[in-house]
Amino acid sequence: MKLLSVNIGRPRPNPWKGLRATGIDKRPVDGPVAVAAPGPKGTGAVGLAGDRVYDVKHHGGDDQAVYAYAREDLDAWEPEMGRTLPNGVFGENLTTEGLDVNGALIGERWRIGPDVVLEVSCPRIPCGTFEGWLREKGWIKRFTQAARPGAYLRVISPGEIRAGDAVEIVHRPAHDVTVELVFRALTSEPGLLPRLEAADALPAPDKAKARRRIAAQARKA
């Protein structure tokens, strides 16, 4: 398992959300990149030096410090989309190889290189910026149906990472709640929502959303 590329965003206009910019245009960079916890959401800060988000209400902060997507999943999308998908095109900070990103457990920890430890926190939920950036009709629906969302990670131990670094799973929690399962529960399969309680490392807003939806389902029953 290894890191194929570290991808940093270039600001681009964001007509899809009416914001002045988006950082979704991620490109691979050479050399080491510093990684550190960015602090609470709302400032635009993320975990990688030189990168940031502009939709500060919905992105960034400690629970969404770093976004990882597997090269294998990009490869699987290429025939359907009919084009080559370079590393970073989905807005991911880390493009990985040999790592089951969507099968990772919430709270699972990865060591990248000698020092950095990241913890899997939640799946990426697609938005209008993502669809507009890729210029793919019905992309949000297609991405949701595929249930290959990639994973957001929080920074546990800071340091530097670079392309080619080994990725090692150093901790797996004692539950079965994967990134894919959380994504399906929060999007297309609400019957899975009760299972999310087992994942202590799931961000508080996602836990609260799951509880609200479970309560709403109970009222309708």
Side-chain angles (χ1 to χ4, degrees), residues 3 12 27 35 49 57 60 66 75 78 84 125 132 141 154 165-166 171 174 196-198 213 217 219:
L3 191 58
R12 292 285 184 264
R27 308 285 182 92
V35 181
K57 180 179 179 180
V66 180
D75 291 343
E78 286 188 341
T84 300
I125 304 296
K141 181 179 180 180
R154 52 178 71 95
D165 276 347
H171 169 72
L196 305 192
E197 282 292 330
R213 292 180 179 178
Q217 290 171 2
R219 289 194 295 269

Side-chain angles (χ1 to χ4, degrees), residues 18 46 58 69 88 128 137 157 217:
V46 294
H58 299 106
Y69 206 78
K137 185 176 181 180
S157 298
Q217 290 171 2

Side-chain angles (χ1 to χ4, degrees), residues 16-206:
W16 312 291
K17 277 190 178 179
L19 298 172
R20 68 179 179 88
T22 173
I24 200 170
D25 182 8
K26 301 283 195 288
R27 308 285 182 92
V29 296
D30 295 326
V33 177
V35 181
K41 182 182 290 187
T43 66
V46 294
L48 270 60
D51 200 11
R52 65 157 294 161
V53 296
Y54 296 86
D55 183 356
V56 299
K57 180 179 179 180
H58 299 106
H59 299 294
D62 286 335
D63 291 331
Q64 298 179 358
V66 180
Y67 176 49
Y69 206 78
R71 182 64 245 179
E72 292 85 351
D73 290 324
L74 289 173
D75 291 343
W77 279 113
E78 286 188 341
E80 179 178 331
M81 297 171 73
R83 54 171 152 153
T84 300
L85 296 173
N87 293 349
V89 72
F90 275 20
E92 77 272 16
N93 298 113
L94 311 180
T95 309
T96 65
E97 181 180 68
L99 183 64
D100 185 2
V101 175
N102 298 306
L105 299 172
I106 302 300
E108 181 174 302
R109 292 186 176 185
W110 306 344
R111 183 182 303 281
I112 303 179
D115 301 316
V116 172
V117 177
L118 305 179
E119 181 178 83
V120 176
S121 62
C122 59
R124 184 244 198 98
I125 304 296
C127 65
T129 299
F130 191 24
E131 180 169 292
W133 166 246
L134 291 179
R135 295 177 174 84
E136 289 282 335
K137 185 176 181 180
W139 178 248
I140 292 175
K141 181 179 180 180
R142 290 160 58 193
F143 189 80
T144 300
Q145 289 174 336
R148 297 193 296 264
Y152 280 118
L153 305 110
R154 52 178 71 95
V155 179
I156 303 301
S157 298
E160 291 184 338
I161 58 174
R162 67 181 73 205
D165 276 347
V167 180
E168 177 188 5
I169 299 171
V170 295
H171 169 72
R172 300 197 87 205
H175 62 69
D176 64 353
V177 183
T178 64
V179 170
E180 178 188 349
L181 188 146
V182 174
F183 181 79
R184 288 161 50 206
L186 294 175
T187 57
S188 60
E189 299 180 52
L192 295 173
L193 287 168
R195 293 180 61 183
L196 305 192
E197 282 292 330
D200 292 337
L202 192 67
D206 289 332

